[in-house]
Amino acid sequence: MRGYGWVACSVLLVSAAQLMMRWAMPRLPDVSSMMSLPAVAPLPVLLLLCGLGAYGLSMLCWIRALHSFPLNRVYPLLSLSYVLVWLVAVCLPVFHEAFSWHSLAGVIMIVIGLLCIVVKP
């Protein structure tokens, strides 16, 4: 995998990490109540750990991407994760995220800004 492939992997992994952790956290007890060692469902714990692992893998992909491109060329592409996470969270009912026109406007501005920075005239 070369260049933009590493960037794409980094963006996809960090987006997946955010979504996994978002799903898991409401299903886990507060840290303060975990001292009593309540029974915790294994799936939220597994997804939380997978989300943390995805963050780690994302960083490794990012390091590889920086071998191929200067930072000012690829760093803006990380903002694609904001767009992906918002889209998935709004589209999948499991996340219970409400659609908002203001949020859509913000996502559109991110995409326009990204195009202004990355696309060379």
Side-chain angles (χ1 to χ4, degrees):
M1 196 176 343
R2 299 193 40 118
Y4 286 114
W6 290 113
V7 174
C9 279
S10 181
V11 168
L12 291 173
L13 283 166
V14 78
S15 299
Q18 285 289 334
L19 292 165
M20 285 187 272
M21 291 189 298
R22 170 63 180 98
W23 184 89
M25 290 312 297
R27 291 160 178 83
L28 292 172
D30 278 340
V31 174
S32 61
S33 65
M34 287 180 69
M35 297 306 170
S36 62
L37 296 174
V40 177
L43 185 58
V45 173
L46 179 64
L47 279 179
L48 177 62
L49 293 174
C50 286
L52 292 171
Y55 261 124
L57 289 174
S58 173
M59 281 293 108
L60 293 176
C61 292
W62 183 247
I63 289 167
R64 293 292 304 161
L66 291 176
H67 282 281
S68 302
F69 299 105
L71 185 62
N72 68 350
R73 183 84 175 132
V74 292
Y75 188 71
L77 295 175
L78 286 180
S79 63
L80 285 173
S81 68
Y82 302 132
V83 175
L84 292 174
V85 169
W86 180 82
L87 270 172
V88 172
V90 168
C91 291
L92 294 181
V94 69
F95 292 106
H96 307 290
E97 299 287 339
F99 174 83
S100 157
W101 288 104
H102 286 82
S103 296
L104 177 61
V107 166
I108 290 170
M109 284 194 272
I110 289 171
V111 172
I112 290 170
L114 182 62
L115 290 172
C116 289
I117 293 171
V118 174
V119 175
K120 290 184 178 182

